[in-house]
Amino acid sequence: MRTSCSARSISSGRLMLARPNAGAVRPSASATEPLFSFGVITDVQYADIPDGRSFLGVPRYYRHSLAVLRRAVRSWNAHGGVRFCVNFGDIVDGFCPRDRSLAAVRAVVREFDGFRGGPAYHMLGNHCLYNLPRGELVSELRMPAPPGRAYYDFSPWPGYRFVVLDAYDFSAVGRARGDPVAAAARRFLEARNPNRDKNSPSGLEGAARRFVMFNGGVGGAQLRWLDAVLRGAAARGERAVVCSHLPVHPGAASPTGLMWNYEEVAAVVRRHEGCVVACLAGHDHRGGYAVDERGVHHRTLEAALECPPGTDAFGRVEVYPDRLRLVGSDRMASTEMLLNSSSDTVSSTG
């Protein structure tokens, strides 16, 4: 069984993870060049407003986050081998004035348009949904999803499948109060969170602290779709990477940052053991990392929003036959994720 390990702080610039044991198989010396690479960034949460703080008092740099994204795009372009990039949600902040929401979204999209390596793939986060309706966001972010959906999959390289989830498919966020999904989500929260303020986890313990309004879940239809996509990927011998704004492993995020029904998503992933190699996420701004009992790597990425001027948080993931290698910039810690089944843990450096 693999050892589950996690990191909850980036203040040291290093994810303190267990070292590989003596029996672990090291990456093949012949795999010196990646098959392909892709850029990653999350929680830009841009707004043309003065800097502020989170409800926990953490400084947030709303204007500087756009400069972080700009430097990310410049870095990906300079590297040359980055074939696409993935934004893990929260493109604009909830404090963005509503009459400027659309302009803020378009300002961020323009920065992504400067990426020359290939497409930019987006997903919905709670802050996105505080600003614009779901349908408008799907259009503005050019998601390659069928009408009425914000989840999709794509294959950027033979043998690899990327699955982008809509973590707010079942949520009260971004829907009119009379919407049946919103009404059901509110009833769901009422049964699990006794606080008047449903964004407060006060009194909740452990993983139950995830039952707050700013989180959400994957609905039944999307779970069935995920199962079908992974079944098809497994039949084709593809490796899959699952991307979600909300983390789906309690070792890779704080309890208040988890998807409501992360266990159901994990159960689908387990059903196709050996197909999914990694689950990547945003939302929990400090970042985190864990390896589950089936050897799936769970990496929660550090937020661009909380980078003081002069610092960055973005990276690129190099995909090799036997590992994924996240090359992080500054506050995004680098992480080596071995895909060989005989490896127990991985090491990570900032």
Side-chain angles (χ1 to χ4, degrees), residues 94-139:
F95 283 125
C96 182
R98 294 299 172 270
D99 61 347
R100 287 186 259 165
S101 292
L102 181 58
V105 168
R106 288 177 173 174
V108 178
V109 170
R110 279 196 298 273
E111 296 298 333
F112 278 105
D113 285 345
F115 173 55
R116 299 192 297 269
Y121 295 102
H122 299 273
M123 63 200 74
L124 297 182
N126 51 308
H127 283 266
C128 303
L129 293 164
Y130 298 152
N131 279 273
L132 292 174
R134 298 173 61 85
E136 191 169 357
L137 283 164
V138 169
S139 176

Side-chain angles (χ1 to χ4, degrees), residues 3 44 76 82 90 137 154 184 221 229 259 261 350:
T3 302
V44 174
W76 300 332
V82 181
D90 280 359
L137 283 164
F154 62 95
V229 169
M259 183 184 289
N261 61 334

